[in-house]
Amino acid sequence: MTGLSRRFGRRRALDGVTLTVGPGDCLAIFGPNGAGKSTLIRILAGLLEPSGGSARIAGLELPGGPAVRGMVGLVAHHSMLYPALTARENLVFVAQLFGVRNPRASAAAALERVGVLDRADTPVRSLSRGLQQRVAIARAAVHAPRLLLLDEPFTGLDPDGCAGLTEILAERRRAGGASIVVTHQLADALALATHVAVLYDGRVVRYEPRGTVDPDRYADGYRELVAAGG
Amino acid sequence: MAGTSTWAAALVIARKDVAVEVRTRAAFLSATVFALLAAAIFYYAWDPTAVSSLDLAPGVLWVIFTFSGLLGLNRSFGAELSERAIDGLLTAPIAREAIFLGKALANLAFLIGVQLIAIPAVILLYNVPVGRALWGIAAVGLLAAIGLVAVGTLFSAMVVNTRFAELLLPMVALPFFVPVIMAAAQATTTLVAGRPIAEAGGWIRLLGAFDLVFAAACTVAYPFTIER
């Protein structure tokens, strides 16, 4: 991402964001409400056009065509699932759209990783919020994307769900895939990330490799930063 | 990962929509109940000594189709808003046209399903002697359904994000439905009167031309209705 910006009317949601996420990296982005985190995710998912600047995935400009969309997996605020269909049907549908060679096997494998295989044939509307979130995570990963975008992925997850998410991110990292996690849950995200950034008022005000960060002191530093207005 | 062609993706989306409708039965039940109730109300309001059933039935049939079809078209993209499933479609590596074609195919299946119940109901209620005209009526029904679905699916996508989508869809779509309804009703009148299908040839050609032009135009126009 280079100088990425986005305006909604007169309001500037993103203001010159420049970040790079390499293969195998997991970037955690923190920031208060309205900082522009979800806008950034929606631009990278191809759902919003930037007002300025540019973003590339594996050299392909965003918002691109089917080739670039096929490289991205998205966990958004909403589950993007069909409540009337079962968890398995939802994932098979997505796998088919993404041209996965064996949609049923890939769907089953993704559901197993998040621990929902035993409820695979239950309609999504009958699953608890946490289980729906797990299915949404499996949905994002069913086609083994090169870039996984996760907007508040910990919402509703219990420790088992968090473990499933951690496993998926670790597997993506081993496969050379990158991920961007946008969240308020500092401790959970710090455990996963290779890099951390803070977005405030649409700008990146802090960016550093995770290895240079002391998790215990990072939360205090983050709160002070936000309280001081970035 | 292999790529997904436009038609393959359209079929996947259509199958999904039909599966959702089979599970919920929300739109199909309301559309068929509406069609049967409307046929009955027209029947009780009808004075057989003033208007013959052959003159009245085609008009009744196409009024019923139009409005029961709108019930299904309203749900077409409305169902995608729950849990923002539409974002899932927009982030899939498929041509935007595939979304439109998939939705249109599902809507066509929906409308044909309503026709399969409404046509026999109107034939029985109004004692219409269809005889050998049945296949002709079925062909007219299919051609008309394609036209209604092409236009209706596009407008459904356009109004779905508005606050008054249920009100707006009929207002914007009905004027475009007029040529289809007019041609279908006239062709049906000719066929149920027992006249040769060649006499309805002009109306059937109009339906075919409308289908070709609007199916192509709406498929091309659909990607422009998607707000980034």
Side-chain angles (χ1 to χ4, degrees):
Chain A
M1 299 163 245
T2 311
L4 209 58
S5 61
R6 168 75 198 195
R7 284 178 168 280
F8 293 103
R10 295 177 66 183
R11 193 175 71 81
R12 195 187 285 267
L14 282 182
D15 186 5
V17 171
T18 300
L19 287 168
T20 303
V21 185
D25 286 352
C26 175
L27 170 65
I29 301 178
F30 307 116
N33 294 332
K37 305 185 298 295
S38 295
T39 302
L40 178 64
I41 290 288
R42 288 180 70 78
I43 288 174
L44 296 176
L47 291 168
L48 272 178
E49 272 188 52
S51 311
S54 64
R56 289 169 184 272
I57 297 174
L60 297 172
E61 189 90 27
L62 285 172
V68 68
R69 290 201 295 272
M71 288 191 275
V72 178
L74 172 67
V75 175
H77 277 288
H78 293 93
S79 70
M80 298 191 291
L81 301 169
Y82 296 95
L85 300 183
T86 66
R88 191 193 306 276
E89 286 168 336
N90 268 285
L91 263 70
V92 169
F93 170 65
V94 173
Q96 287 173 331
L97 287 185
F98 276 82
V100 173
R101 282 194 201 286
N102 192 338
R104 289 194 72 80
S106 300
L111 288 169
E112 189 168 26
R113 260 173 291 170
V114 295
V116 193
L117 190 57
D118 57 333
R119 305 288 300 275
D121 297 311
T122 304
V124 164
R125 65 165 172 252
S126 303
L127 297 175
S128 69
R129 178 74 188 92
L131 288 180
Q132 286 186 21
Q133 182 69 358
R134 291 196 202 189
V135 178
I137 290 165
R139 182 201 181 284
V142 72
H143 58 290
R146 287 179 71 169
L147 175 63
L148 198 49
L149 303 169
L150 305 115
D151 193 352
E152 295 295 354
F154 303 104
T155 307
L157 289 185
D158 60 9
D160 282 351
C162 288
L165 175 59
T166 306
E167 192 193 322
I168 283 176
L169 288 178
E171 183 195 294
R172 290 288 79 229
R173 267 209 303 270
R174 285 194 297 273
S179 34
I180 298 178
V181 183
V182 156
T183 183
H184 294 289
Q185 316 255 32
L186 271 66
D188 289 328
L190 284 170
L192 302 168
T194 59
H195 294 75
V196 289
V198 177
L199 203 61
Y200 187 91
D201 208 13
R203 288 174 292 117
V204 177
V205 293
R206 192 168 166 181
Y207 173 75
E208 57 225 303
R210 164 67 181 81
T212 64
V213 167
D214 177 356
D216 297 329
R217 297 168 75 178
Y218 190 82
D220 294 334
Y222 169 69
R223 276 187 218 104
E224 283 167 19
L225 189 72
V226 170
Chain B
M1 237 187 303
T4 309
S5 74
T6 300
W7 277 107
L11 286 173
V12 168
I13 291 168
R15 270 205 308 268
K16 180 271 297 173
D17 273 13
V18 170
V20 169
E21 184 53 41
V22 167
R23 297 284 161 77
T24 59
R25 296 187 194 94
F28 189 72
L29 261 184
S30 47
T32 48
V33 168
F34 170 83
L36 295 175
L37 284 176
I41 289 166
F42 275 116
Y43 177 76
Y44 287 113
W46 169 46
D47 177 2
T49 60
V51 187
S52 78
S53 66
L54 293 185
D55 290 331
L56 184 70
V60 169
L61 194 63
W62 288 103
V63 167
I64 289 171
F65 279 158
T66 307
F67 288 99
S68 55
L70 281 169
L71 289 174
L73 291 168
N74 251 328
R75 257 190 70 81
S76 181
F77 280 92
E80 299 291 338
L81 289 186
S82 148
E83 291 298 328
R84 291 295 307 174
I86 186 69
D87 286 348
L89 294 180
L90 295 176
T91 53
I94 55 172
R96 302 304 198 203
E97 289 81 359
I99 301 173
F100 174 82
L101 290 170
K103 290 279 169 196
L105 285 174
N107 288 336
L108 187 62
F110 174 89
L111 215 57
I112 288 171
V114 175
Q115 285 182 344
L116 286 175
I117 291 170
I119 288 179
V122 170
I123 286 171
L124 289 173
L125 212 54
Y126 292 85
N127 196 21
V128 181
V130 283
R132 287 166 58 192
L134 189 60
W135 292 110
I137 294 171
V140 169
L142 180 64
L143 285 173
I146 291 170
L148 295 179
V149 157
V151 175
T153 304
L154 180 71
F155 283 122
S156 171
M158 285 170 68
V159 303
V160 71
N161 284 311
T162 62
R163 284 174 61 199
F164 305 108
E166 285 88 357
L167 280 176
L168 261 182
L169 180 60
M171 285 166 67
V172 295
L174 282 174
F176 286 86
F177 285 177
V178 169
V180 180
I181 304 305
M182 187 176 66
Q186 293 293 339
T188 310
T189 303
T190 306
L191 292 170
V192 296
R195 296 201 289 274
I197 196 164
E199 277 189 36
W203 295 115
I204 292 173
R205 278 195 294 278
L206 176 64
L207 278 176
F210 185 96
D211 289 356
L212 279 177
V213 170
F214 277 86
C218 293
T219 306
V220 172
Y222 172 72
F224 296 101
T225 68
I226 301 165
E227 186 194 354
R228 282 193 191 279

